[in-house]
Amino acid sequence: MILASESAYFQDFPHLTFGIVPGDGNQTVWTRAIGDYRARYFLYTQQSLSAQEAKQLGVVAEVLPPVVLLMERARTLAEQFLRILELTRRHMRAMFALPLKKELLEQVGFGLAVEGITATDLRIMAEEQTKATA
């Protein structure tokens, strides 16, 4: 479950800012959370989603005022979840986590490879620029 403070926002700023492919799992998690085409838009444009927008997209379960209230709500939910039989709770978690784990296994290896290639290319370009100005 994802709870968010009213002031929270979601954004993948670093990757494109530094010219690197966001292949470290961001592509997988965001596609699963908001859908393929929406995730592409989010990552290509470095869009910032407010907590309320994230809730409308189904990423966030609840948006709460100040952090103190958010933590109280998180504790209440945790206590509620702990009342579920342990075996049931564990198997429910496994059931929900398995599809994401499978997708991460399939996609992160290639994603990290292209992320690394783009990061290496940036380093090479920087070194060439340094040599040219020297």
Side-chain angles (χ1 to χ4, degrees):
M1 313 277 157
I2 299 175
L3 307 180
S5 153
E6 290 173 331
S7 61
Y9 69 93
F10 300 84
Q11 182 181 35
D12 180 30
F13 182 77
H15 286 99
L16 289 184
T17 300
F18 297 108
I20 300 171
V21 171
D24 56 2
N26 264 341
Q27 79 283 12
T28 306
V29 172
W30 281 107
T31 296
R32 190 135 184 45
I34 61 178
D36 190 42
Y37 295 110
R38 190 78 188 86
R40 288 180 194 181
Y41 179 85
F42 175 76
L43 293 171
Y44 270 104
T45 64
Q46 296 178 295
Q47 180 184 19
S48 177
L49 292 174
S50 70
Q52 201 58 48
E53 290 169 317
K55 182 179 179 194
Q56 290 168 349
L57 290 170
V59 175
V60 170
E62 297 180 29
V63 177
L64 298 147
V67 176
V68 173
L69 294 177
L70 182 130
M71 292 307 294
E72 286 176 19
R73 179 64 178 143
R75 283 187 194 92
T76 300
L77 284 172
E79 289 168 3
Q80 178 183 336
F81 299 157
L82 286 172
R83 286 192 292 272
I84 298 169
L85 293 173
E86 183 178 358
L87 186 62
T88 301
R89 190 176 67 243
R90 287 178 183 268
H91 284 294
M92 283 179 69
R93 182 184 177 284
M95 178 183 64
F96 287 123
L98 184 62
L100 177 59
K101 286 180 179 183
K102 181 181 174 187
E103 290 172 18
L104 287 167
L105 252 157
E106 292 173 351
Q107 298 174 19
V108 172
F110 175 73
L112 286 173
V114 295
E115 185 171 320
I117 289 167
T118 55
T120 301
D121 187 49
L122 287 172
R123 195 191 93 229
I124 292 168
M125 288 176 15
E127 287 173 2
E128 289 173 355
Q129 189 175 31
T130 301
K131 287 177 188 176
T133 58

